[in-house]
Amino acid sequence: MAGQLHTQLLLSRQYCRVFSVISSHIHTSSGLGAKDHYKVLVLGGGSGGITMAARMKRKVGAQNVAVVEPSEVHYYQPIWTLVGAGAKSVASSGRPTASVIPSGVMWVKSKVAEFDPKNNTVHTDSGKKISYDYLIVALGLELHYEKTGQRNTEQKANYMWNIKGLPEGFEHPKIGSNYSVKTVEKTWNALKNFKEGNALFTFPNTPVKCGGAPQKIMYLSDAFLRKTGKRSKANIIYNTPSPKLFGVKKYADALWEIVKKRDLNINLRHNLIEVRADKQEAVFENLDKPGETKVYKYDMIHVTPPMGPPAVLKGSLLDDEAGWLDVNKNTLQHKTYANVFGIGDCTNLPTSKTAAAVAAQSAVLDRNISRILKKQTPDKIYDGYTSCPLVTSYNTVILAEFDYDGQPLETFPVDQSKESRVMYHMKADFMPLLYWHGLLKGFWGGPGPYRTIMHLGMK
């Protein structure tokens, strides 16, 4: 299925076909322009990598920038919440990677295999060694539906929990996940074919990207079942290992009101450990009573997988004890290697991992790398800004925005903890345009300047 989808995306528009062919000869590592050294080397072709490549192109020239990325398709992943609810198509979320690589920037179509920061070099899985003056690591994170590991009793890297029965469980109906292009349409299939019984939604016992997404699909499913007259036959359950529904109290309080109003069942400190897809059963452990488990029958389940740092980072000279890129939380500069920088999900920044965070981080990195290029000290500070548009129905959103301290950092001069139709259309219609034409072009660095204006200079 994934291969067919990639083909459809690559062939969807004639200009993309032509662009891809031209780029594959001129701006990829197999072309004549490939080099072994770049002033700025960007690892990762996701949102953070592409926006920084665009910004660095303007700083040092396209011929001095390269992006290492193996994927043929670039996805706007935030829209997958709506894809899983049948409100958007999966094809609308992807474009050929060749079409988003900044023109003139070299695309090294490989995976990163090894870091050698002491010698300012990176090795790829194709055997190529690339040296750099400055390195930007934007490798994202990895999904681990099948991940095994130990309980994190020592607060080190072995925090992954095994979900027995996955990923093979996705071969059965009634199960999906909005976190992968391979499984997001399975969510919609499970929802629209729901008849009666338990509709289960899970959250993993690991860091995640877009921490609100696991419950967004719950609210959307509730709305869909009401619209189709099936809600009275559904028992909607959200099981999370967290002791909170949401990390920021202002928005958590608003979400609890929605939960009560819509008769949704929330079980805190419950962690998914097994899916028996052939029997339509899911097993959860009560984290407050280790060893105590409960089996839930389901007619639909949405699984949010455990997640972790890229395997290539773990054990390298660039990671922290948990395997994430070890950067200064204020400047985004590596704590040991001054010419290495990080952005996005692969970093150990203590904030929610979102595209909105990447946007704000890109503006900080742009300024600080510019100063370093001029032999000056970085002076722009990242405050941890991140945002989560909490989709609560097919036409409402609570727009959560907050900083490192979990304090609301709202852009608009209204109470954003209230459900809003305007915010929904911003999430569904405006943000994708801003992503493709603003963020990826290196022109959108978050709403900070606009927030200052709207709040008359006050935070």
Side-chain angles (χ1 to χ4, degrees):
M1 171 193 161
Q4 292 176 343
L5 176 62
H6 287 193
T7 301
Q8 291 171 3
L9 288 167
L10 286 170
L11 298 177
S12 61
R13 298 174 186 169
Q14 186 174 359
Y15 88 89
C16 283
R17 292 203 305 268
V18 175
F19 193 97
S20 297
V21 172
I22 294 174
S23 292
S24 68
H25 289 287
I26 299 178
H27 299 311
T28 66
S29 59
S30 60
L32 297 176
K35 300 190 299 183
D36 295 323
H37 178 86
Y38 294 90
K39 191 170 188 67
V40 179
L41 181 62
V42 180
L43 305 182
S47 56
I50 298 299
T51 188
M52 289 313 301
R55 288 174 178 271
M56 293 299 100
K57 171 186 171 179
R58 294 196 286 270
K59 292 287 187 296
V60 301
Q63 72 278 10
N64 295 311
V65 181
V67 176
V68 180
E69 169 58 49
S71 303
E72 292 278 359
V73 182
H74 178 105
Y75 291 103
Y76 175 58
Q77 296 180 30
I79 207 68
W80 286 348
T81 287
L82 298 180
V83 173
K88 295 285 184 178
S89 70
V90 70
S92 71
S93 70
R95 296 186 181 183
T97 299
S99 71
V100 299
I101 297 283
S103 62
V105 168
M106 181 59 61
W107 175 17
V108 180
K109 199 184 300 183
S110 301
K111 290 183 179 179
V112 177
E114 183 182 352
F115 296 96
D116 185 6
K118 292 182 178 180
N119 294 301
N120 297 325
T121 59
V122 167
H123 298 260
T124 72
D125 65 348
S126 62
K128 187 177 181 64
K129 183 171 74 172
I130 309 172
S131 61
Y132 57 82
D133 292 337
Y134 301 94
L135 181 69
I136 299 175
V137 184
L139 290 172
L141 51 66
E142 293 182 355
L143 307 181
H144 296 295
Y145 290 98
E146 78 296 347
K147 190 69 179 182
T148 58
Q150 306 171 25
R151 295 174 180 82
N152 185 12
T153 56
E154 299 180 1
Q155 298 301 310
K156 291 187 179 180
N158 291 330
Y159 51 72
M160 298 296 187
W161 286 35
N162 176 46
I163 300 181
K164 187 178 179 181
L166 294 181
E168 61 271 19
F170 288 109
E171 297 174 5
H172 293 263
K174 301 182 181 297
I175 177 173
S177 176
N178 290 350
Y179 276 85
S180 169
V181 70
K182 298 178 181 179
T183 57
V184 63
E185 290 181 304
K186 293 179 181 291
T187 302
W188 172 231
N189 287 333
L191 177 56
K192 67 183 180 181
N193 292 318
F194 180 91
K195 292 181 175 60
E196 62 179 343
N198 290 334
L200 284 175
F201 302 86
T202 76
F203 193 100
N205 196 29
T206 67
V208 299
K209 54 182 173 182
C210 193
Q215 59 182 290
K216 296 178 193 179
I217 187 60
M218 171 184 66
Y219 302 124
L220 284 163
S221 296
D222 169 74
F224 177 80
L225 295 175
R226 291 180 187 278
K227 181 172 64 174
T228 54
K230 300 177 182 178
R231 183 60 180 90
S232 62
K233 299 180 179 179
N235 182 34
I236 296 180
I237 303 169
Y238 179 71
N239 286 354
T240 172
S242 173
K244 301 176 181 179
L245 181 58
F246 193 75
V248 179
K249 185 178 185 304
K250 176 177 182 177
Y251 307 116
D253 289 346
L255 293 172
W256 275 117
E257 289 301 314
I258 293 173
V259 164
K260 293 174 185 176
K261 181 180 178 181
R262 301 184 191 174
D263 192 26
L264 308 174
N265 299 289
I266 310 298
N267 295 312
L268 305 178
R269 304 291 290 156
H270 279 61
N271 185 58
L272 178 67
I273 59 174
E274 181 179 0
V275 174
R276 302 166 183 166
D278 57 333
K279 299 179 180 179
Q280 294 172 219
E281 294 178 346
V283 184
F284 293 83
E285 180 171 13
N286 185 339
L287 298 189
D288 289 330
K289 299 177 180 178
E292 179 181 300
T293 62
K294 183 175 181 179
V295 178
Y296 290 78
K297 294 286 292 184
Y298 65 80
D299 194 56
M300 169 193 174
I301 185 171
H302 175 270
V303 177
T304 302
M307 304 179 202
V312 70
L313 263 179
K314 293 191 292 184
S316 73
L317 294 175
L318 299 179
D319 74 335
D320 66 4
E321 286 190 340
W324 303 97
L325 187 71
D326 196 18
V327 297
N328 181 294
K329 67 179 244 183
N330 298 317
T331 64
L332 311 185
Q333 188 174 30
H334 194 269
K335 291 180 180 179
T336 303
Y337 300 95
N339 64 335
V340 176
F341 305 85
I343 185 171
D345 297 351
C346 69
T347 66
N348 61 355
L349 297 171
T351 194
S352 185
K353 299 177 185 295
T354 67
V358 166
Q361 292 163 21
S362 71
V364 173
L365 267 188
D366 185 278
R367 166 72 177 183
N368 287 341
I369 293 177
S370 294
R371 287 185 61 82
I372 289 172
L373 288 170
K374 298 173 184 176
K375 309 301 181 184
Q376 298 173 342
T377 301
D379 64 355
K380 191 168 180 65
I381 303 300
Y382 175 51
D383 58 10
Y385 171 82
T386 190
S387 175
C388 182
L390 293 157
V391 183
T392 54
S393 75
Y394 284 89
N395 57 16
T396 55
V397 156
I398 289 174
L399 183 59
E401 295 181 286
F402 48 97
D403 61 15
Y404 274 137
D405 299 321
Q407 295 301 309
L409 199 57
E410 298 181 343
T411 298
F412 301 97
V414 296
D415 183 358
Q416 291 180 198
S417 68
K418 305 293 184 182
E419 291 180 281
S420 167
R421 290 175 178 265
V422 172
M423 299 302 181
Y424 175 85
H425 289 295
M426 187 173 71
K427 155 72 178 177
D429 304 317
F430 177 69
M431 285 185 177
L433 294 174
L434 184 62
Y435 180 85
W436 295 114
H437 302 291
L439 179 61
L440 294 191
K441 304 296 184 184
F443 296 127
W444 176 247
Y450 305 96
R451 183 188 311 116
T452 301
I453 294 171
M454 291 190 180
H455 291 270
L456 303 178
M458 297 180 287
K459 183 174 180 180

